[in-house]
Amino acid sequence: MKLLVGALFFLIFTTATAQSASDQNSHIDSKGSHMKSELRSKLILTLSVAQKIAAAAEAEAKKNGWDVSIAVMDDAARLICFLHMDNANNASSDIAIAKARHAINYRRDTKFHEDVVAAGHNQVLAFPNVLPVEGGIRLIVDDVVIGAIGVSGVQSPQDGQIARAGADLLAKP
């Protein structure tokens, strides 16, 4: 008799709990559908596109005989693609990543902040994770920043030239 009452209690309890969880989930689903109109869609930088951007930058570097490091990041500053060319100096790896991170986090090309510092506004140097040296460029599609490319290994204007070659790939039809 105790076994039968215990089994009956278990059956009733688990059915009620399952129904309660189901009710809670349907409430969440209906809320999610309601909120969908307030959510935005966005373009995501894929590995395939990041590799093409890096390859375009690498081609520009090779054309000029420059050995560099190239970092491509998404809009959350996650490293998607990285190239370290033969004979590029060791420090260029970290610097390329830092330039890309700067461009994405500040939504400004690193050259912008380099010019600000050159104009005497040194307070920029106190910003977190700042590297105001040309060579970090935003990746922009339809006026939206989807990532950034950072290049290091030669003079800053040359790093910028290489990065621009990669970024310009997105502007082509």
Side-chain angles (χ1 to χ4, degrees):
M1 180 72 163
K2 284 183 179 180
L3 185 60
L4 182 60
V5 170
L8 186 58
F9 176 75
F10 177 76
L11 183 60
I12 292 169
F13 179 75
T14 56
T15 303
T17 303
Q19 181 62 41
S20 175
S22 175
D23 291 345
Q24 288 174 354
N25 288 340
S26 68
H27 178 69
I28 291 170
D29 290 342
S30 68
K31 254 188 171 175
S33 297
H34 173 69
M35 299 297 286
K36 189 173 182 180
S37 65
E38 295 182 45
L39 299 174
R40 295 183 321 183
S41 295
K42 70 177 189 174
L43 296 174
I44 304 293
L45 182 62
T46 63
L47 174 60
S48 174
V49 172
Q51 288 172 327
K52 290 173 185 170
I53 291 166
E58 181 184 23
E60 179 68 17
K62 283 183 177 179
K63 178 177 86 174
N64 291 288
W66 299 328
D67 293 317
V68 298
S69 291
I70 301 165
V72 181
M73 294 185 162
D74 68 8
D75 67 337
R78 289 182 298 252
L79 188 60
I80 303 296
C81 183
F82 179 79
L83 299 174
H84 180 84
M85 295 173 67
D86 296 341
N87 300 317
N89 67 64
N90 291 340
S92 69
S93 297
D94 291 334
I95 296 168
I97 291 168
K99 286 179 180 184
R101 183 173 293 119
H102 175 117
I104 195 63
N105 284 341
Y106 290 101
R107 300 292 199 258
R108 299 263 188 195
D109 296 347
T110 54
K111 176 74 168 125
F112 172 84
H113 283 123
E114 179 180 29
D115 292 344
V116 169
V117 171
H121 302 285
N122 293 331
Q123 65 271 26
V124 169
L125 299 173
F127 293 176
N129 299 312
V130 68
L131 187 59
V133 180
E134 187 173 356
I137 295 179
R138 296 163 295 157
L139 301 174
I140 301 172
V141 175
D142 296 334
D143 297 322
V144 176
V145 178
I146 65 162
I149 181 171
V151 176
S152 180
V154 286
Q155 297 297 311
S156 295
Q158 297 164 338
D159 288 344
Q161 176 183 335
I162 297 165
R164 174 64 51 210
D168 284 349
L169 188 66
L170 293 173
K172 294 180 180 177

